[in-house]
């Protein structure tokens, strides 16, 4: 079993019961390693918020993510370390296609995924929202 265990050193003596990792002030004064550690759950939460709306829409997202991952793994194309897309990259790409086709069923969305990224104008970034600057100097 592979486990990604990250460490984040916060600038507080304790973590409150109402700790919100999505609050930008959590990043205030943290070092680069902590910033990267906190980025994972923050991005995951943002993607989940962007693809939710209905339970069916979220389930469509999850289904297509699983299918794209299985496709990529079966072709040896799933690895950030090797320069390919990893989990977050695939989540973002599927989320973008879901934003473009919000009512598509999983089969249609999977087809649209490959059509969209077959003709994507690289190196244009895949952006789900406008860039956000919390003015923390990050």
């Amino acid at each position: 079993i592979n486990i990604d265990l990250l460490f984040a050193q916060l600038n507080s003596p304790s973590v409150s019961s109402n700790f919100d990792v999505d609050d930008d002030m959590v990043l205030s004064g943290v070092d680069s390693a902590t910033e990267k550690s906190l980025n994972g759950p923050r991005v995951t939460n943002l993607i989940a918020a962007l693809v939710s709306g209905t339970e069916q829409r979220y389930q469509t997202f999850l289904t297509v993510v699983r299918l794209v991952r299985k496709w990529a793994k079966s072709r040896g194309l799933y690895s950030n370390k090797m320069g390919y897309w990893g989990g977050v990259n695939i989540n973002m790409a599927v989320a973008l296609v879901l934003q473009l086709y919000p009512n598509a069923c999983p089969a249609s969305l999977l087809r649209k995924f490959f059509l969209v990224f077959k003709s994507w104008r690289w190196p244009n970034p895949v952006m789900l929202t406008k860039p956000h600057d919390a003015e923390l100097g990050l």
Side-chain angles (χ1 to χ4, degrees):
I1 297 175
N2 292 331
I3 297 176
D4 248 350
L5 186 59
L6 302 174
F7 174 78
Q9 184 172 350
L10 303 176
N11 288 330
S12 63
S14 64
V15 178
S16 67
S17 60
N18 63 346
F19 176 77
D20 181 8
V21 73
D22 297 320
D23 181 0
D24 289 336
M25 292 315 297
V26 165
L27 300 173
S28 180
V30 300
D31 62 13
S32 178
T34 295
E35 177 191 340
K36 290 174 185 169
S37 293
L38 293 173
N39 190 47
R42 289 168 58 88
V43 169
T44 299
N45 292 348
L46 178 59
I47 292 171
L50 293 171
V51 300
S52 61
T54 66
E55 182 61 26
Q56 181 180 359
R57 185 170 183 216
Y58 187 67
Q59 290 305 316
T60 294
F61 167 77
L62 292 178
T63 299
V64 176
V65 163
R66 289 179 185 125
L67 291 168
V68 172
R69 283 184 184 170
K70 187 169 182 72
W71 173 86
K73 285 180 180 181
S74 71
R75 285 159 177 77
L77 302 174
Y78 184 84
S79 173
N80 272 330
K81 291 179 184 177
M82 299 300 290
Y84 300 113
W85 283 2
V88 172
N89 309 102
I90 290 174
N91 289 359
M92 289 177 63
V94 172
L96 176 77
V97 178
L98 186 59
Q99 285 181 336
L100 296 172
Y101 304 98
N103 299 316
C105 69
S108 294
L109 196 69
L110 181 64
R111 182 174 179 274
K112 296 289 189 185
F113 173 87
F114 287 105
L115 290 173
V116 166
F117 288 105
K118 176 180 91 171
S119 59
W120 191 263
R121 294 180 184 212
W122 302 104
N124 289 337
V126 173
M127 295 182 63
L128 301 175
T129 65
K130 293 180 180 179
H132 170 71
D133 184 359
E135 299 182 12
L136 295 172
L138 304 174

